[in-house]
Amino acid sequence: MIEVKRQDERLLLSLRIYSKQGKLLLQIAENELIFSVSSWDVELVGRKLTIRGGVRDILAQIEFRTPDAIVITRGVFAFGGSQIQVESDHIFLQKYNIRMEGYSARTNGGSALRFD
């Protein structure tokens, strides 16, 4: 659903965002932004990317804190019948009814999951 990898000291983000009807709205493939002309609204201001499915319907907000952080402040990500909901203070895995909050994990000197 979401992949972040480090290559040549850069972080590369890959993800797909779908509408509630299951239509692909936006894809990021190793930091390359690809979006459908049928997307309701895709906005990149400074370092913050916001994807909306309609008025006041934010599907995802991502902040790029180069060179060492990509912060997903909110979003709904789906793949193969599974859905992950990201909010500023928790992650919810709908299929398993699991809510993670107050969690931090580190790998290779960086954070894998982090809630401040």
Side-chain angles (χ1 to χ4, degrees):
M1 291 185 201
I2 303 169
E3 176 186 34
V4 178
K5 66 182 179 180
R6 185 177 299 271
Q7 181 179 10
D8 300 325
E9 299 304 314
R10 293 182 5 199
L11 291 179
L12 300 176
L13 174 68
S14 296
L15 63 82
R16 292 180 179 176
I17 297 175
Y18 294 87
S19 69
K20 292 176 182 170
Q21 295 75 32
K23 185 175 184 174
L24 180 64
L25 296 177
L26 178 133
Q27 177 178 351
I28 299 175
E30 295 187 350
N31 290 356
E32 180 182 348
L33 181 64
I34 305 160
F35 60 93
S36 167
V37 292
S38 65
S39 296
W40 194 83
D41 186 30
V42 176
E43 175 183 70
L44 180 61
V45 176
R47 296 179 179 195
K48 186 181 281 187
L49 175 67
T50 303
I51 299 98
R52 293 180 182 84
V55 177
R56 293 192 286 281
D57 181 19
I58 295 177
L59 298 175
Q61 279 187 320
I62 303 166
E63 185 178 345
F64 299 92
R65 296 182 186 168
T66 56
D68 59 353
I70 297 170
V71 179
I72 301 172
T73 53
R74 67 193 294 189
V76 178
F77 307 96
F79 181 77
S82 294
Q83 178 177 302
I84 295 176
Q85 178 182 346
V86 177
E87 295 293 337
S88 61
D89 63 344
H90 72 274
I91 294 177
F92 181 67
L93 285 78
Q94 184 179 35
K95 183 176 182 178
Y96 302 105
N97 196 28
I98 296 173
R99 180 184 168 110
M100 295 182 288
E101 57 186 68
Y103 185 81
S104 181
R106 297 201 175 273
T107 178
N108 297 328
S111 295
L113 295 172
R114 181 175 160 186
F115 298 96
D116 293 329

